[in-house]
């Protein structure tokens, strides 16, 4: 049945009673959901009922690499982590790369499902099918790099790969992430879910091999990919050398690099301070995920006091926004330091930075006083206050406690009109695109099953003019519903489920889209899917995730954007005058729902659509 | 010839012409010097002529583990690093533990001799006899933990062990250390020697086994050691649980825990703030060197803002002094943070702390102004200023540049009467014993071949009443010459040369003294030495090292103590009124030289003593 690609096994670990058992991976699940986010959402929907407390023992965390992870296919060492998000109450799914994902496969598993709650701080030690529950008392309270090193030392095995939380996850900050090596499953507060389970870390070591269904076909598919990657104008010439942060210059030029909590885009053009030329002066080398020939992750070393000597892997483009433009900080070394500190504390850099920018605006508007901040002068641009605030948030000290759960929760507590400055969708803070000047990005933020998440349906067409269907007018409203559906489905089908690096797709290596995924699936797993069927997997994932959210009570009313983006036109720059009016949003939503076959009133998948996707069993949950 | 223990090979690496060659370890060297510091000093004396610039290409660095390193003998994973010290101009020798030392043996070498100077930042990659010179451009400027991780990633081998320098070594700070894992070859500025050679790191991986001459005898010897260790009242009951910093309480009680740059011992009793009870509240676990069942190295995690969440391995007792008592800082979390930061920057914690304490006293006395410090309020007890100063020193910024070479160099530059506050011997800052109340400690500081170095002849008898010859009156002057010679020779013979952990000796596991070393030598290496011959090795090492210093121009006049300790009696506490007068020092020196067979006028080993020790060839260098 499982000719290749899959190990055929799911490991289910219950922390409450400290049991672990292996289950067969059902072939239907493999075919219908491919892996990664597909598996995560399938298990989440089936096993975490409506109303579950995201920070209670009944929430689950599903760690799932893809069928190609651990094979010789490049750029497949990725893994989806899925659970109900404490930040949004919706599906929480975040991907990470590095080495941990393939180690999970080598240890024998297509997915690891974590259930229950340990009585005391615990870490899992999974070695070739053996599972041990070990005390994490020693590493509780430690930062993420130290945690990994001390566990390796304790296990007397430097080859162990570890995913862990920092103090932020322990302290149930709803913007806490999960770190493996120096990489993050960053968003939606999944680190807090680990923390709520008293699970500090998962240590894995495996020596197994991932079986291959057809080695000849794999070789051909791999050669095709490698050739296409070599020919890409983006991957080696740009990504290897500069990585994602080079996008700062592009979005600044388009007037959509958000600054000062989305209040000032266009007035403030920091490309000369934190753009690619300055970035290159901090680059010292790069890191690769397992099996990746590109190595887009740039190592940066801070050069000036008081940050000199601080290294970080990144910051990625998003973090140049969140600790840069968003907070008005244009000191690149402070951004490097904040990136490293957030990773060490286990805070999602996007949500943390946006929350700090939000607090800065409240401070400047007088809604937060110096007394509220414990003496911190939280003006835009105060880099040292930003650094201090990160620590306060992770440890829930002083004003940090108020901000540790992100902008939505903070605004609810602060009141006093602060909600209008809280820049989030469904509780998830906005990423690094001022969508007033990139409408499909805006629609994707409004409709993504995880909240304002650039990664669930990134509209490359608006920013880079690629990929198929080729470039569109970023300021236009018409056609964005169809485009967004395509982007979301293809992203899910070719990246999130097979856990292939999104940069392959992003960078117009056309072969990596649905046909390529189909070819790889056949070569690696022996499962024959057409390109259309692959795309259907993406649609299935988006519908099942949507159904999860509907079951939790989300409706069309939640598919919205922050008030500021719908009311305040951009004041300057190349997108001057742009905003997404409620009318425009409604137009786009109508088109989007229609394309999706979703109910225009409720935003729920229709029974017909569910049946079409083989999700009949879901209909009874969301259609009474 | 090399039945066991030794690999029989020395690796000689020349950075100037990027060559590496293997040499036979001469059996005479093995027999006469055992290993470790013995080998280091032998090669240093023979190959680094008088007047060599310590930071020039002609200085050498010798990394030498011992014959037992990498065997099943516990507590032998140590290594001596030897070179001419840029801080003192005398022999520079420092030991470290952890895993790097045994890896060097596994890679095939009894010693690694580094010569010359690389043109560009370089690291060595030594794998089972293969040596590669690799660019260190990527890691230049990085802190020590990051350096190690990034090199492991670059070599795609997490099992590599790495010794490296931090920014302090790169910037030729004369108090820079060498770090492997989280351990330091700390003192005498050997990190600056690495930096002067453009050598950022040495990465080692080996799969060889250390040969054993007589497995049965080894088994018996090991069992004897293990039994004695188990019976020790100190090792497991105390060292495993508390580590070295428990000594804070003992020395505070004796009134010899130095505080505020040795100005206030007795007035200020910080045991209640940083003593063992408080320390235990920060302990989260411990680390072991390779093959060590004790694990004395306590991991401590800071608990309070702004240091919360900072982990360190240590701080050891000495560092509780240097960043604690010496600077008047009694915030344990600041001491933890400073310890970690110093390790990351590659600064010796003792010299760095004492230099900061020195600067604080100058600031309080008005010799350094706020203008001089760049606005830092360098009062005793200012923990944040201490942390800032560490960074400034490592990067040679502002006042840090002035202090980066230790107290002696700083006092020379500052002038204005500052020399009387510079607490050093031969340029090496004093460790954590106010020797006014522990006279043999004082004599050892005055006479050690490395300067004020507690580790070259620690008088346990004065502090703990152990080992053989048993406890003595710490305040007495008579008999301290003989005792110091015994301590220095036995320490060299049973710890520094075989590279056995000094805590075995210290803690009265009597078998670890000369007879035990002799038994282990026979079992492991096949070389038969009597206990007396082992002790002679210690004497030989001390004489050869002394000869090196004499050749460099050191005389009896350099065997002295800081003026303060000879002029200012202790003001309060259990050692109130005590000081070491010049007369007392001279009495002790006379006894010491007489015991040593050294010239009472010059302090040089006599020709007769050199002949007796088989060092005839040395006589021609120091006796014209």
């Amino acid at each position: 049945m499982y000719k290749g690609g899959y190990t055929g096994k799911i490991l289910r670990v219950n922390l409450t009673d400290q049991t672990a058992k292996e289950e067969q991976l059902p072939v239907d699940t493999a075919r219908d959901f491919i892996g990664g986010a597909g598996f995560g959402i399938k298990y989440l929907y089936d096993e975490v009922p409506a109303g579950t407390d995201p920070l209670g023992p009944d929430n689950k965390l599903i760690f799932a690499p893809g069928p190609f992870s651990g094979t010789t296919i490049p750029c497949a060492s990725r893994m989806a982590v899925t659970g109900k998000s404490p930040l949004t109450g919706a599906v929480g799914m975040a991907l990470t790369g590095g080495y941990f994902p393939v180690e999970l496969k080598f240890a024998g598993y297509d997915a690891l499902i974590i259930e229950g709650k340990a009585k005391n701080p615990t870490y899992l030690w999974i070695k070739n099918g053996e599972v041990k529950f070990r005390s994490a008392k020693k590493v509780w309270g430690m930062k993420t790099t130290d945690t990994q090193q001390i566990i390796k030392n304790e296990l007397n095995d430097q080859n162990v790969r570890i995913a862990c939380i920092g103090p932020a996850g322990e302290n149930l900050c709803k913007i806490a992430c999960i770190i493996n090596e120096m990489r993050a499953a960053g968003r939606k507060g999944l680190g807090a879910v680990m923390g709520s389970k008293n699970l500090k870390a998962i240590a894995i070591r495996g020596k197994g091999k991932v079986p291959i269904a057809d080695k000849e076909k794999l070789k051909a598919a791999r050669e095709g990919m490698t050739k296409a990657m070599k020919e890409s104008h983006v991957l080696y010439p740009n990504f290897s050398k500069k990585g994602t942060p080079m996008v700062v210059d592009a979005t600044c030029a388009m007037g959509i690099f958000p600054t000062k909590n989305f209040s000032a885009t266009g007035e403030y053009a920091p490309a000369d301070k934190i753009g690619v030329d300055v970035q290159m002066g901090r680059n010292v080398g790069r890191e690769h995920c397992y099996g990746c020939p590109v190595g887009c992750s740039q190592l940066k070393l801070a050069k000036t006091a008081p940050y000199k000597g601080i290294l970080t892997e990144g910051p990625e483009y998003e973090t140049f926004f969140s600790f840069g433009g968003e907070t008005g900080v244009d000191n690149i070394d402070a951004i490097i330091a904040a990136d490293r500190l957030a990773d060490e504390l286990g805070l999602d850099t996007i949500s943390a930075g946006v929350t700090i920018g939000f607090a800065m605006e409240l401070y400047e508007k007088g809604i937060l006083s110096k007394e509220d901040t414990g003496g911190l002068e939280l003006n835009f641009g105060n880099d040292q206050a930003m650094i201090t605030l990160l620590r306060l948030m992770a440890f829930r000290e002083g004003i940090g406690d108020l901000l540790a759960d992100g902008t939505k929760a903070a605004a609810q507590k602060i009141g006093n009109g602060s909600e209008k400055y809280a820049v989030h969708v469904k509780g998830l803070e906005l990423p690094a695109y001022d969508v007033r000047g990139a409408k499909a990005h805006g629609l994707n933020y409004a409709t993504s099953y995880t909240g304002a998440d650039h990664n669930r349906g990134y509209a490359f067409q608006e920013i880079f003019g690629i990929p198929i269907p080729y470039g569109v007018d970023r300021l236009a409203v018409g056609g964005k519903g169809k485009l967004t559906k395509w982007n979301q489905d293809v992203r899910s089908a070719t990246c999130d489920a097979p856990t292939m690096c999104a940069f392959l797709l992003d960078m117009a290596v056309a072969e990596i889209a649905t046909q390529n995924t189909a070819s790889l699936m056949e070569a690696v797993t022996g499962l024959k899917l057409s390109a259309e069927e692959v795309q259907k997997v993406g649609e299935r994932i988006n519908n099942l995730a949507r159904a999860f959210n509907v079951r939790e009570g989300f409706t069309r009313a939640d598919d919205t954007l922050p008030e500021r983006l719908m009311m305040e036109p951009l004041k300057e720059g190349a997108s001057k005058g742009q905003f997404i009016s409620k009318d425009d949003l409604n137009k786009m939503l109508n088109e989007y729902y229609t394309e999706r076959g979703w109910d225009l009133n409720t935003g729920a998948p229709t029974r017909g659509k569910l049946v079409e996707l083989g999700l009949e069993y879901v209909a009874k949950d969301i259609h009474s």
Side-chain angles (χ1 to χ4, degrees), chain A residues 88 97 102-103 115 128 135 162 171 177 281 338 355 411 421 427 447 478 487 489 514 535 621 624:
Chain A
T88 65
V102 295
E103 204 71 31
E115 307 177 338
N128 290 319
S135 168
I162 295 160
N171 294 320
C177 64
T355 304
Y421 306 112
T447 59
N487 282 330
D489 289 352
T514 50
Q535 188 149 346
D621 297 335
S624 51

Side-chain angles (χ1 to χ4, degrees), chain A residues 9 67 85 148 156 267 335 351 501 538 541:
Chain A
K9 282 187 288 190
S85 164
Q148 294 177 68
N156 198 23
E267 295 166 36
I335 297 170
S351 285
C501 180
I541 289 169

Side-chain angles (χ1 to χ4, degrees), chain A residues 250-267:
Chain A
T251 50
C252 281
M254 298 164 92
I256 59 166
F257 184 75
T259 52
K260 298 185 179 171
N261 199 36
F262 290 74
S263 72
T265 313
E267 295 166 36

Side-chain angles (χ1 to χ4, degrees), chain A residues 185-205:
Chain A
R187 309 214 65 199
K188 301 116 204 172
L190 298 172
V193 178
M194 263 183 87
S196 75
K197 296 181 175 307
N198 270 327
L199 182 63
K200 175 70 175 175
I202 303 167
I204 299 206
R205 180 79 194 277

Side-chain angles (χ1 to χ4, degrees), chain A residues 54-167:
Chain A
L55 298 181
D58 295 334
N59 196 5
K60 300 194 182 187
L61 268 183
I62 302 115
F63 295 77
F68 316 145
S69 308
T71 71
T72 56
I73 295 175
C75 311
S77 177
R78 292 186 64 76
M79 173 179 75
V81 186
T82 309
K84 182 174 174 182
S85 164
L87 187 61
T88 65
V91 172
M93 194 286 290
L95 289 136
T96 180
Y99 285 78
F100 183 94
V102 295
E103 204 71 31
L104 182 54
K105 287 287 284 279
F106 297 152
Y109 302 109
D110 294 311
L112 164 64
I113 302 175
I114 306 285
E115 307 177 338
K117 176 182 178 175
K119 206 168 176 179
N120 298 305
T122 298
Y123 73 88
L124 290 179
W125 171 212
I126 301 172
K127 188 175 179 182
N128 290 319
E130 194 185 0
V131 181
K132 286 184 182 158
F133 299 80
R134 293 181 60 104
S135 168
K137 196 178 159 201
K138 187 176 185 175
V139 290
W140 199 256
M142 279 186 205
K143 295 176 182 176
T144 55
T145 300
D146 289 336
T147 297
Q148 294 177 68
Q149 187 59 59
I150 298 300
I151 289 177
K152 286 179 182 183
N153 294 354
E154 181 168 293
L155 297 175
N156 198 23
D157 187 344
Q158 299 295 312
N159 286 311
V160 171
R161 297 295 181 174
I162 295 160
C164 68
I165 55 172

Side-chain angles (χ1 to χ4, degrees), chain A residues 434-499:
Chain A
D434 197 316
V435 298
R436 283 172 284 197
K439 315 287 183 185
H441 273 266
L443 180 60
N444 176 54
Y445 286 0
T447 59
S448 285
Y449 59 81
T450 46
D453 188 340
H454 62 297
N455 272 323
R456 299 287 74 71
Y458 189 101
F460 292 95
Q461 303 87 350
E462 288 185 340
I463 313 295
F464 304 103
I466 50 172
I468 302 162
Y470 293 108
V472 297
D473 176 3
R474 64 184 167 88
L475 303 179
V477 164
K480 296 300 168 76
K482 187 175 179 183
L483 180 65
T484 298
K485 175 187 185 300
W486 191 92
N487 282 330
Q488 291 174 344
D489 289 352
V490 170
R491 182 71 166 238
S492 294
T494 66
C495 302
D496 298 353
T499 70

Side-chain angles (χ1 to χ4, degrees), chain A residues 219-264:
Chain A
K219 198 179 161 205
R222 183 160 50 84
E223 280 171 5
M225 266 189 71
T226 305
K227 183 167 173 287
M229 288 171 67
K230 276 191 187 146
E231 287 166 0
S232 158
H233 296 297
V234 181
L235 289 179
Y236 295 103
N238 282 299
F239 258 35
S240 280
K241 295 197 179 108
K242 300 171 191 165
T244 62
M246 66 183 175
V247 177
V248 169
D249 296 68
T251 50
C252 281
M254 298 164 92
I256 59 166
F257 184 75
T259 52
K260 298 185 179 171
N261 199 36
F262 290 74
S263 72

